[in-house]
Every structure is written in C-alpha cells, then in structure tokens.
Amino acid sequence: MNKPTIKQPLRRAFFALTTVGALFTLPKAQASPPVSASGIETDRECVIENVTHGPNTITTLKITADFTGTLTGTACATERDVGFPDGSVTINSTGVFTGTVNGSAPGTAVLTVVGEAGRGSPGGRFGGVGAAVSWVMDQGTGGLAGVHGQGAFGTVVDFAVGPGCGSNTNPCITPDYDFTFTILYSGQIQFAP
C-alpha cells in the first residue's frame, strides 16, 4: 500500500472537517428585536371590474395606500374582493410598499392584506361587523431588506365616495378614485438577516 496516497485524502478530509467546524463557531447575524407598529393608512381605490358569479360578486380594484406612523410611504396594490349575499366580503390584496419602516433607510417590500369584513362595513369595506383584516410585510429590498412585519387593521376613521375613476383606473398614477377611506393599523416589525 502506498502511504503518501492515503495521507493526501486524509489531509483533505481533515481540512474540510476543520473548515466546517470553524463555520459553526462563527457568530451568527442576529435579528433586530421586534418593535410595535402603529399608524394611519389612507386608501384611494378604483374599481376595475365587477363580475357576478351566481349570488356572489367579485370586484377587482387598483389601490394606492398612503401610510403614516411606523410605516411611512405608499403602497400600490391590486385587490380582489368577493362579496356575498349576506353583505360580507373577503379581501385579498398584494402590492409593493415604497418607503421607510421605523426610521429605516428607504426601500421596498411586498405588502399583502387578507381578511373578511362583515355586514355593515362602509362600502362593503373594512371595519364592519366582525371585520378581521390582517397585513404581512416581507421580501424587502434596499433599506427594507430583511423586513418582516405583520399586524391588523382596526377602526375605519373616515369613508367617502369619490368623484370616480373614469378611464384612469390606477390611483397610483392619478388622484382619481371611486372611494377613499382612512383606517388605523397596528402590528409588529422586525429586521432579520
């Protein structure tokens, strides 16, 4: 048996194990502690389409949402609502938030909103009887890289029917809207590596 041939693979294996072991001893990047998030969001919404399927109505909307408070910036999103005969509505919205979080550097993040609003909601929207609408923020870039947030929407502070969107169905690029509302939000935000 050739001893130099055996020693070479043993040295390589030892070196590889030493390297892997050293990686386990390196300090790991720590996530920031969670902070409370709260503030006000004002939506301007344009109805793009209403489609009736049996007794239910599916409404597609284009939204711009202006945030103040812990979240400071604007989100542009598309929302799909399903309205049921009893007046309740399910809500599903996804868009891009551009701004800052708790004084961070500016960046972007994906903002997802899901929930249900019960009968009596203004315009079939948030804040009605039995409303439960939550938000999640993640997939950040720039100053929002590593952001993870979640929370809920609460009380509707104001609701108004607007002048209408006409053919300008994107309130992210025009001030037109079919309706607007202001709502309180709360939750927690954390930045993780």
Side-chain angles (χ1 to χ4, degrees), residues 20-58:
V20 169
L23 289 175
F24 285 117
T25 63
L26 290 175
K28 297 196 184 331
Q30 297 292 319
S32 68
V35 296
S36 293
S38 63
I40 298 172
E41 177 210 354
T42 300
D43 268 21
R44 290 189 319 272
E45 303 192 0
C46 288
V47 176
I48 296 172
E49 179 180 54
N50 274 316
V51 177
T52 302
H53 287 284
N56 305 327
T57 301
I58 299 170

PDB file of all heavy atoms in Angstrom, residues 20-58:
ATOM      1  N   VAL A  20     -15.555  23.217   8.158  1.00  0.00           N
ATOM      2  CA  VAL A  20     -16.968  23.147   8.533  1.00  0.00           C
ATOM      3  C   VAL A  20     -17.132  23.453  10.018  1.00  0.00           C
ATOM      4  O   VAL A  20     -18.016  24.195  10.432  1.00  0.00           O
ATOM      5  CB  VAL A  20     -17.563  21.769   8.163  1.00  0.00           C
ATOM      6  CG1 VAL A  20     -18.942  21.583   8.784  1.00  0.00           C
ATOM      7  CG2 VAL A  20     -17.630  21.614   6.658  1.00  0.00           C
ATOM      8  N   GLY A  21     -16.282  22.911  10.850  1.00  0.00           N
ATOM      9  CA  GLY A  21     -16.336  23.181  12.286  1.00  0.00           C
ATOM     10  C   GLY A  21     -16.147  24.649  12.590  1.00  0.00           C
ATOM     11  O   GLY A  21     -16.817  25.218  13.457  1.00  0.00           O
ATOM     12  N   ALA A  22     -15.236  25.295  11.882  1.00  0.00           N
ATOM     13  CA  ALA A  22     -14.998  26.725  12.092  1.00  0.00           C
ATOM     14  C   ALA A  22     -16.231  27.543  11.720  1.00  0.00           C
ATOM     15  O   ALA A  22     -16.545  28.542  12.369  1.00  0.00           O
ATOM     16  CB  ALA A  22     -13.787  27.186  11.281  1.00  0.00           C
ATOM     17  N   LEU A  23     -16.944  27.126  10.692  1.00  0.00           N
ATOM     18  CA  LEU A  23     -18.153  27.853  10.302  1.00  0.00           C
ATOM     19  C   LEU A  23     -19.206  27.822  11.398  1.00  0.00           C
ATOM     20  O   LEU A  23     -19.943  28.777  11.589  1.00  0.00           O
ATOM     21  CB  LEU A  23     -18.723  27.274   8.999  1.00  0.00           C
ATOM     22  CG  LEU A  23     -17.910  27.549   7.740  1.00  0.00           C
ATOM     23  CD1 LEU A  23     -18.527  26.811   6.551  1.00  0.00           C
ATOM     24  CD2 LEU A  23     -17.837  29.034   7.449  1.00  0.00           C
ATOM     25  N   PHE A  24     -19.281  26.704  12.124  1.00  0.00           N
ATOM     26  CA  PHE A  24     -20.259  26.608  13.210  1.00  0.00           C
ATOM     27  C   PHE A  24     -19.900  27.493  14.396  1.00  0.00           C
ATOM     28  O   PHE A  24     -20.753  27.812  15.205  1.00  0.00           O
ATOM     29  CB  PHE A  24     -20.419  25.158  13.671  1.00  0.00           C
ATOM     30  CG  PHE A  24     -21.211  24.319  12.716  1.00  0.00           C
ATOM     31  CD1 PHE A  24     -20.628  23.242  12.074  1.00  0.00           C
ATOM     32  CD2 PHE A  24     -22.540  24.606  12.449  1.00  0.00           C
ATOM     33  CE1 PHE A  24     -21.350  22.479  11.187  1.00  0.00           C
ATOM     34  CE2 PHE A  24     -23.276  23.837  11.569  1.00  0.00           C
ATOM     35  CZ  PHE A  24     -22.681  22.769  10.936  1.00  0.00           C
ATOM     36  N   THR A  25     -18.654  27.881  14.529  1.00  0.00           N
ATOM     37  CA  THR A  25     -18.249  28.716  15.654  1.00  0.00           C
ATOM     38  C   THR A  25     -18.315  30.202  15.340  1.00  0.00           C
ATOM     39  O   THR A  25     -18.169  31.022  16.231  1.00  0.00           O
ATOM     40  CB  THR A  25     -16.815  28.366  16.105  1.00  0.00           C
ATOM     41  OG1 THR A  25     -15.912  28.641  15.034  1.00  0.00           O
ATOM     42  CG2 THR A  25     -16.714  26.917  16.528  1.00  0.00           C
ATOM     43  N   LEU A  26     -18.546  30.574  14.068  1.00  0.00           N
ATOM     44  CA  LEU A  26     -18.646  31.984  13.718  1.00  0.00           C
ATOM     45  C   LEU A  26     -19.911  32.584  14.321  1.00  0.00           C
ATOM     46  O   LEU A  26     -20.949  31.922  14.389  1.00  0.00           O
ATOM     47  CB  LEU A  26     -18.693  32.164  12.195  1.00  0.00           C
ATOM     48  CG  LEU A  26     -17.406  31.853  11.436  1.00  0.00           C
ATOM     49  CD1 LEU A  26     -17.658  31.959   9.933  1.00  0.00           C
ATOM     50  CD2 LEU A  26     -16.299  32.800  11.844  1.00  0.00           C
ATOM     51  N   PRO A  27     -19.854  33.818  14.762  1.00  0.00           N
ATOM     52  CA  PRO A  27     -21.077  34.429  15.296  1.00  0.00           C
ATOM     53  C   PRO A  27     -22.111  34.583  14.186  1.00  0.00           C
ATOM     54  O   PRO A  27     -21.784  34.942  13.068  1.00  0.00           O
ATOM     55  CB  PRO A  27     -20.608  35.793  15.804  1.00  0.00           C
ATOM     56  CG  PRO A  27     -19.319  36.054  15.121  1.00  0.00           C
ATOM     57  CD  PRO A  27     -18.725  34.715  14.768  1.00  0.00           C
ATOM     58  N   LYS A  28     -23.348  34.269  14.518  1.00  0.00           N
ATOM     59  CA  LYS A  28     -24.436  34.384  13.545  1.00  0.00           C
ATOM     60  C   LYS A  28     -25.023  35.791  13.614  1.00  0.00           C
ATOM     61  O   LYS A  28     -25.074  36.404  14.669  1.00  0.00           O
ATOM     62  CB  LYS A  28     -25.507  33.350  13.848  1.00  0.00           C
ATOM     63  CG  LYS A  28     -24.981  31.929  13.712  1.00  0.00           C
ATOM     64  CD  LYS A  28     -26.112  30.972  13.622  1.00  0.00           C
ATOM     65  CE  LYS A  28     -25.757  29.534  13.589  1.00  0.00           C
ATOM     66  NZ  LYS A  28     -24.627  29.027  13.090  1.00  0.00           N
ATOM     67  N   ALA A  29     -25.450  36.283  12.458  1.00  0.00           N
ATOM     68  CA  ALA A  29     -26.107  37.591  12.420  1.00  0.00           C
ATOM     69  C   ALA A  29     -27.411  37.495  13.209  1.00  0.00           C
ATOM     70  O   ALA A  29     -28.139  36.521  13.094  1.00  0.00           O
ATOM     71  CB  ALA A  29     -26.393  38.002  10.988  1.00  0.00           C
ATOM     72  N   GLN A  30     -27.669  38.493  14.005  1.00  0.00           N
ATOM     73  CA  GLN A  30     -28.843  38.498  14.864  1.00  0.00           C
ATOM     74  C   GLN A  30     -29.958  39.344  14.256  1.00  0.00           C
ATOM     75  O   GLN A  30     -29.690  40.380  13.661  1.00  0.00           O
ATOM     76  CB  GLN A  30     -28.483  39.054  16.245  1.00  0.00           C
ATOM     77  CG  GLN A  30     -27.463  38.229  16.988  1.00  0.00           C
ATOM     78  CD  GLN A  30     -28.013  36.878  17.403  1.00  0.00           C
ATOM     79  OE1 GLN A  30     -29.150  36.769  17.841  1.00  0.00           O
ATOM     80  NE2 GLN A  30     -27.218  35.843  17.226  1.00  0.00           N
ATOM     81  N   ALA A  31     -31.176  38.896  14.450  1.00  0.00           N
ATOM     82  CA  ALA A  31     -32.332  39.688  14.040  1.00  0.00           C
ATOM     83  C   ALA A  31     -32.507  40.834  15.033  1.00  0.00           C
ATOM     84  O   ALA A  31     -32.158  40.718  16.205  1.00  0.00           O
ATOM     85  CB  ALA A  31     -33.582  38.822  14.020  1.00  0.00           C
ATOM     86  N   SER A  32     -33.029  41.942  14.551  1.00  0.00           N
ATOM     87  CA  SER A  32     -33.324  43.050  15.459  1.00  0.00           C
ATOM     88  C   SER A  32     -34.510  42.644  16.330  1.00  0.00           C
ATOM     89  O   SER A  32     -35.329  41.823  15.942  1.00  0.00           O
ATOM     90  CB  SER A  32     -33.672  44.305  14.656  1.00  0.00           C
ATOM     91  OG  SER A  32     -34.902  44.124  13.977  1.00  0.00           O
ATOM     92  N   PRO A  33     -34.622  43.222  17.521  1.00  0.00           N
ATOM     93  CA  PRO A  33     -35.797  42.910  18.338  1.00  0.00           C
ATOM     94  C   PRO A  33     -37.051  43.468  17.670  1.00  0.00           C
ATOM     95  O   PRO A  33     -36.988  44.506  17.011  1.00  0.00           O
ATOM     96  CB  PRO A  33     -35.514  43.612  19.667  1.00  0.00           C
ATOM     97  CG  PRO A  33     -34.419  44.573  19.403  1.00  0.00           C
ATOM     98  CD  PRO A  33     -33.706  44.134  18.171  1.00  0.00           C
ATOM     99  N   PRO A  34     -38.187  42.790  17.815  1.00  0.00           N
ATOM    100  CA  PRO A  34     -39.424  43.309  17.223  1.00  0.00           C
ATOM    101  C   PRO A  34     -39.818  44.648  17.855  1.00  0.00           C
ATOM    102  O   PRO A  34     -39.579  44.864  19.035  1.00  0.00           O
ATOM    103  CB  PRO A  34     -40.471  42.243  17.551  1.00  0.00           C
ATOM    104  CG  PRO A  34     -39.754  41.092  18.134  1.00  0.00           C
ATOM    105  CD  PRO A  34     -38.384  41.536  18.513  1.00  0.00           C
ATOM    106  N   VAL A  35     -40.387  45.511  17.042  1.00  0.00           N
ATOM    107  CA  VAL A  35     -40.914  46.785  17.533  1.00  0.00           C
ATOM    108  C   VAL A  35     -42.390  46.872  17.169  1.00  0.00           C
ATOM    109  O   VAL A  35     -42.827  46.317  16.162  1.00  0.00           O
ATOM    110  CB  VAL A  35     -40.152  48.006  16.947  1.00  0.00           C
ATOM    111  CG1 VAL A  35     -38.709  48.019  17.401  1.00  0.00           C
ATOM    112  CG2 VAL A  35     -40.240  48.050  15.445  1.00  0.00           C
ATOM    113  N   SER A  36     -43.130  47.559  17.999  1.00  0.00           N
ATOM    114  CA  SER A  36     -44.555  47.760  17.722  1.00  0.00           C
ATOM    115  C   SER A  36     -44.709  48.686  16.527  1.00  0.00           C
ATOM    116  O   SER A  36     -43.932  49.621  16.353  1.00  0.00           O
ATOM    117  CB  SER A  36     -45.253  48.376  18.934  1.00  0.00           C
ATOM    118  OG  SER A  36     -45.262  47.456  19.992  1.00  0.00           O
ATOM    119  N   ALA A  37     -45.706  48.412  15.731  1.00  0.00           N
ATOM    120  CA  ALA A  37     -46.028  49.245  14.568  1.00  0.00           C
ATOM    121  C   ALA A  37     -47.442  49.769  14.736  1.00  0.00           C
ATOM    122  O   ALA A  37     -48.343  49.018  15.112  1.00  0.00           O
ATOM    123  CB  ALA A  37     -45.915  48.443  13.281  1.00  0.00           C
ATOM    124  N   SER A  38     -47.614  51.059  14.467  1.00  0.00           N
ATOM    125  CA  SER A  38     -48.961  51.625  14.510  1.00  0.00           C
ATOM    126  C   SER A  38     -48.991  52.896  13.678  1.00  0.00           C
ATOM    127  O   SER A  38     -47.959  53.516  13.430  1.00  0.00           O
ATOM    128  CB  SER A  38     -49.380  51.936  15.954  1.00  0.00           C
ATOM    129  OG  SER A  38     -48.521  52.910  16.507  1.00  0.00           O
ATOM    130  N   GLY A  39     -50.172  53.246  13.238  1.00  0.00           N
ATOM    131  CA  GLY A  39     -50.324  54.455  12.451  1.00  0.00           C
ATOM    132  C   GLY A  39     -51.639  54.486  11.712  1.00  0.00           C
ATOM    133  O   GLY A  39     -52.598  53.800  12.074  1.00  0.00           O
ATOM    134  N   ILE A  40     -51.644  55.271  10.656  1.00  0.00           N
ATOM    135  CA  ILE A  40     -52.851  55.505   9.867  1.00  0.00           C
ATOM    136  C   ILE A  40     -52.558  55.200   8.406  1.00  0.00           C
ATOM    137  O   ILE A  40     -51.487  55.539   7.892  1.00  0.00           O
ATOM    138  CB  ILE A  40     -53.311  56.972  10.011  1.00  0.00           C
ATOM    139  CG1 ILE A  40     -53.669  57.262  11.473  1.00  0.00           C
ATOM    140  CG2 ILE A  40     -54.487  57.283   9.094  1.00  0.00           C
ATOM    141  CD1 ILE A  40     -53.954  58.719  11.755  1.00  0.00           C
ATOM    142  N   GLU A  41     -53.507  54.562   7.747  1.00  0.00           N
ATOM    143  CA  GLU A  41     -53.428  54.300   6.310  1.00  0.00           C
ATOM    144  C   GLU A  41     -54.634  54.939   5.642  1.00  0.00           C
ATOM    145  O   GLU A  41     -55.759  54.806   6.123  1.00  0.00           O
ATOM    146  CB  GLU A  41     -53.422  52.805   6.031  1.00  0.00           C
ATOM    147  CG  GLU A  41     -53.405  52.506   4.555  1.00  0.00           C
ATOM    148  CD  GLU A  41     -54.089  51.199   4.184  1.00  0.00           C
ATOM    149  OE1 GLU A  41     -54.486  50.436   5.080  1.00  0.00           O
ATOM    150  OE2 GLU A  41     -54.247  50.974   2.978  1.00  0.00           O
ATOM    151  N   THR A  42     -54.398  55.633   4.531  1.00  0.00           N
ATOM    152  CA  THR A  42     -55.492  56.194   3.741  1.00  0.00           C
ATOM    153  C   THR A  42     -55.449  55.569   2.355  1.00  0.00           C
ATOM    154  O   THR A  42     -54.441  55.660   1.656  1.00  0.00           O
ATOM    155  CB  THR A  42     -55.377  57.727   3.638  1.00  0.00           C
ATOM    156  OG1 THR A  42     -55.436  58.270   4.960  1.00  0.00           O
ATOM    157  CG2 THR A  42     -56.509  58.299   2.803  1.00  0.00           C
ATOM    158  N   ASP A  43     -56.534  54.895   1.993  1.00  0.00           N
ATOM    159  CA  ASP A  43     -56.669  54.223   0.688  1.00  0.00           C
ATOM    160  C   ASP A  43     -57.439  55.094  -0.278  1.00  0.00           C
ATOM    161  O   ASP A  43     -58.424  55.732   0.102  1.00  0.00           O
ATOM    162  CB  ASP A  43     -57.473  52.927   0.844  1.00  0.00           C
ATOM    163  CG  ASP A  43     -56.615  51.716   1.083  1.00  0.00           C
ATOM    164  OD1 ASP A  43     -55.468  51.876   1.525  1.00  0.00           O
ATOM    165  OD2 ASP A  43     -57.111  50.600   0.833  1.00  0.00           O
ATOM    166  N   ARG A  44     -57.004  55.088  -1.541  1.00  0.00           N
ATOM    167  CA  ARG A  44     -57.808  55.584  -2.670  1.00  0.00           C
ATOM    168  C   ARG A  44     -57.951  54.387  -3.595  1.00  0.00           C
ATOM    169  O   ARG A  44     -56.953  53.777  -3.980  1.00  0.00           O
ATOM    170  CB  ARG A  44     -57.108  56.742  -3.376  1.00  0.00           C
ATOM    171  CG  ARG A  44     -57.050  58.013  -2.575  1.00  0.00           C
ATOM    172  CD  ARG A  44     -56.541  59.214  -3.370  1.00  0.00           C
ATOM    173  NE  ARG A  44     -55.432  58.964  -4.261  1.00  0.00           N
ATOM    174  CZ  ARG A  44     -54.144  59.027  -3.913  1.00  0.00           C
ATOM    175  NH1 ARG A  44     -53.813  59.321  -2.681  1.00  0.00           N
ATOM    176  NH2 ARG A  44     -53.195  58.800  -4.798  1.00  0.00           N
ATOM    177  N   GLU A  45     -59.177  54.045  -3.942  1.00  0.00           N
ATOM    178  CA  GLU A  45     -59.416  52.822  -4.703  1.00  0.00           C
ATOM    179  C   GLU A  45     -60.253  53.078  -5.947  1.00  0.00           C
ATOM    180  O   GLU A  45     -61.203  53.844  -5.916  1.00  0.00           O
ATOM    181  CB  GLU A  45     -60.098  51.782  -3.811  1.00  0.00           C
ATOM    182  CG  GLU A  45     -59.281  51.482  -2.570  1.00  0.00           C
ATOM    183  CD  GLU A  45     -59.751  50.263  -1.809  1.00  0.00           C
ATOM    184  OE1 GLU A  45     -60.734  49.612  -2.230  1.00  0.00           O
ATOM    185  OE2 GLU A  45     -59.115  49.943  -0.785  1.00  0.00           O
ATOM    186  N   CYS A  46     -59.857  52.410  -7.023  1.00  0.00           N
ATOM    187  CA  CYS A  46     -60.610  52.430  -8.277  1.00  0.00           C
ATOM    188  C   CYS A  46     -61.111  51.025  -8.564  1.00  0.00           C
ATOM    189  O   CYS A  46     -60.339  50.061  -8.530  1.00  0.00           O
ATOM    190  CB  CYS A  46     -59.725  52.874  -9.439  1.00  0.00           C
ATOM    191  SG  CYS A  46     -59.310  54.620  -9.424  1.00  0.00           S
ATOM    192  N   VAL A  47     -62.392  50.917  -8.856  1.00  0.00           N
ATOM    193  CA  VAL A  47     -62.966  49.631  -9.244  1.00  0.00           C
ATOM    194  C   VAL A  47     -62.617  49.382 -10.704  1.00  0.00           C
ATOM    195  O   VAL A  47     -62.954  50.188 -11.579  1.00  0.00           O
ATOM    196  CB  VAL A  47     -64.492  49.616  -9.038  1.00  0.00           C
ATOM    197  CG1 VAL A  47     -65.088  48.313  -9.540  1.00  0.00           C
ATOM    198  CG2 VAL A  47     -64.825  49.858  -7.571  1.00  0.00           C
ATOM    199  N   ILE A  48     -61.925  48.294 -10.961  1.00  0.00           N
ATOM    200  CA  ILE A  48     -61.555  47.933 -12.328  1.00  0.00           C
ATOM    201  C   ILE A  48     -62.635  47.068 -12.962  1.00  0.00           C
ATOM    202  O   ILE A  48     -62.984  47.229 -14.124  1.00  0.00           O
ATOM    203  CB  ILE A  48     -60.205  47.182 -12.352  1.00  0.00           C
ATOM    204  CG1 ILE A  48     -59.094  48.106 -11.859  1.00  0.00           C
ATOM    205  CG2 ILE A  48     -59.889  46.651 -13.731  1.00  0.00           C
ATOM    206  CD1 ILE A  48     -57.767  47.422 -11.668  1.00  0.00           C
ATOM    207  N   GLU A  49     -63.196  46.160 -12.140  1.00  0.00           N
ATOM    208  CA  GLU A  49     -64.168  45.219 -12.701  1.00  0.00           C
ATOM    209  C   GLU A  49     -65.062  44.669 -11.600  1.00  0.00           C
ATOM    210  O   GLU A  49     -64.616  44.408 -10.490  1.00  0.00           O
ATOM    211  CB  GLU A  49     -63.394  44.070 -13.372  1.00  0.00           C
ATOM    212  CG  GLU A  49     -64.255  43.002 -13.985  1.00  0.00           C
ATOM    213  CD  GLU A  49     -63.417  41.905 -14.620  1.00  0.00           C
ATOM    214  OE1 GLU A  49     -62.549  41.334 -13.940  1.00  0.00           O
ATOM    215  OE2 GLU A  49     -63.658  41.623 -15.805  1.00  0.00           O
ATOM    216  N   ASN A  50     -66.333  44.495 -11.914  1.00  0.00           N
ATOM    217  CA  ASN A  50     -67.301  43.781 -11.079  1.00  0.00           C
ATOM    218  C   ASN A  50     -67.862  42.645 -11.911  1.00  0.00           C
ATOM    219  O   ASN A  50     -68.394  42.880 -13.008  1.00  0.00           O
ATOM    220  CB  ASN A  50     -68.464  44.692 -10.660  1.00  0.00           C
ATOM    221  CG  ASN A  50     -68.164  45.490  -9.430  1.00  0.00           C
ATOM    222  OD1 ASN A  50     -67.624  44.972  -8.466  1.00  0.00           O
ATOM    223  ND2 ASN A  50     -68.500  46.764  -9.459  1.00  0.00           N
ATOM    224  N   VAL A  51     -67.726  41.426 -11.427  1.00  0.00           N
ATOM    225  CA  VAL A  51     -68.235  40.258 -12.142  1.00  0.00           C
ATOM    226  C   VAL A  51     -69.132  39.478 -11.185  1.00  0.00           C
ATOM    227  O   VAL A  51     -68.740  39.222 -10.040  1.00  0.00           O
ATOM    228  CB  VAL A  51     -67.074  39.357 -12.638  1.00  0.00           C
ATOM    229  CG1 VAL A  51     -67.608  38.122 -13.316  1.00  0.00           C
ATOM    230  CG2 VAL A  51     -66.147  40.124 -13.555  1.00  0.00           C
ATOM    231  N   THR A  52     -70.319  39.098 -11.643  1.00  0.00           N
ATOM    232  CA  THR A  52     -71.236  38.325 -10.819  1.00  0.00           C
ATOM    233  C   THR A  52     -71.124  36.850 -11.178  1.00  0.00           C
ATOM    234  O   THR A  52     -71.180  36.477 -12.354  1.00  0.00           O
ATOM    235  CB  THR A  52     -72.682  38.812 -11.028  1.00  0.00           C
ATOM    236  OG1 THR A  52     -72.743  40.204 -10.702  1.00  0.00           O
ATOM    237  CG2 THR A  52     -73.652  38.045 -10.153  1.00  0.00           C
ATOM    238  N   HIS A  53     -70.931  36.033 -10.148  1.00  0.00           N
ATOM    239  CA  HIS A  53     -70.921  34.576 -10.296  1.00  0.00           C
ATOM    240  C   HIS A  53     -71.968  34.032  -9.345  1.00  0.00           C
ATOM    241  O   HIS A  53     -71.748  33.997  -8.126  1.00  0.00           O
ATOM    242  CB  HIS A  53     -69.546  33.986  -9.950  1.00  0.00           C
ATOM    243  CG  HIS A  53     -68.512  34.251 -10.991  1.00  0.00           C
ATOM    244  ND1 HIS A  53     -68.461  33.566 -12.174  1.00  0.00           N
ATOM    245  CD2 HIS A  53     -67.493  35.129 -11.021  1.00  0.00           C
ATOM    246  CE1 HIS A  53     -67.451  34.007 -12.897  1.00  0.00           C
ATOM    247  NE2 HIS A  53     -66.847  34.967 -12.219  1.00  0.00           N
ATOM    248  N   GLY A  54     -73.112  33.637  -9.894  1.00  0.00           N
ATOM    249  CA  GLY A  54     -74.207  33.193  -9.042  1.00  0.00           C
ATOM    250  C   GLY A  54     -74.609  34.336  -8.131  1.00  0.00           C
ATOM    251  O   GLY A  54     -74.747  35.478  -8.567  1.00  0.00           O
ATOM    252  N   PRO A  55     -74.729  34.075  -6.824  1.00  0.00           N
ATOM    253  CA  PRO A  55     -75.132  35.136  -5.900  1.00  0.00           C
ATOM    254  C   PRO A  55     -73.973  36.029  -5.432  1.00  0.00           C
ATOM    255  O   PRO A  55     -74.182  37.000  -4.713  1.00  0.00           O
ATOM    256  CB  PRO A  55     -75.711  34.357  -4.715  1.00  0.00           C
ATOM    257  CG  PRO A  55     -74.924  33.084  -4.712  1.00  0.00           C
ATOM    258  CD  PRO A  55     -74.672  32.763  -6.165  1.00  0.00           C
ATOM    259  N   ASN A  56     -72.736  35.698  -5.826  1.00  0.00           N
ATOM    260  CA  ASN A  56     -71.553  36.429  -5.347  1.00  0.00           C
ATOM    261  C   ASN A  56     -71.052  37.423  -6.388  1.00  0.00           C
ATOM    262  O   ASN A  56     -71.187  37.203  -7.591  1.00  0.00           O
ATOM    263  CB  ASN A  56     -70.432  35.454  -4.991  1.00  0.00           C
ATOM    264  CG  ASN A  56     -70.877  34.416  -3.993  1.00  0.00           C
ATOM    265  OD1 ASN A  56     -71.707  34.691  -3.125  1.00  0.00           O
ATOM    266  ND2 ASN A  56     -70.360  33.219  -4.112  1.00  0.00           N
ATOM    267  N   THR A  57     -70.433  38.487  -5.910  1.00  0.00           N
ATOM    268  CA  THR A  57     -69.837  39.486  -6.797  1.00  0.00           C
ATOM    269  C   THR A  57     -68.338  39.551  -6.535  1.00  0.00           C
ATOM    270  O   THR A  57     -67.911  39.732  -5.386  1.00  0.00           O
ATOM    271  CB  THR A  57     -70.455  40.879  -6.566  1.00  0.00           C
ATOM    272  OG1 THR A  57     -71.860  40.798  -6.795  1.00  0.00           O
ATOM    273  CG2 THR A  57     -69.845  41.915  -7.497  1.00  0.00           C
ATOM    274  N   ILE A  58     -67.543  39.415  -7.592  1.00  0.00           N
ATOM    275  CA  ILE A  58     -66.091  39.520  -7.488  1.00  0.00           C
ATOM    276  C   ILE A  58     -65.702  40.895  -8.013  1.00  0.00           C
ATOM    277  O   ILE A  58     -66.011  41.250  -9.149  1.00  0.00           O
ATOM    278  CB  ILE A  58     -65.391  38.412  -8.284  1.00  0.00           C
ATOM    279  CG1 ILE A  58     -65.792  37.044  -7.723  1.00  0.00           C
ATOM    280  CG2 ILE A  58     -63.872  38.602  -8.240  1.00  0.00           C
ATOM    281  CD1 ILE A  58     -65.358  35.875  -8.554  1.00  0.00           C
TER     282      ILE A  58
END
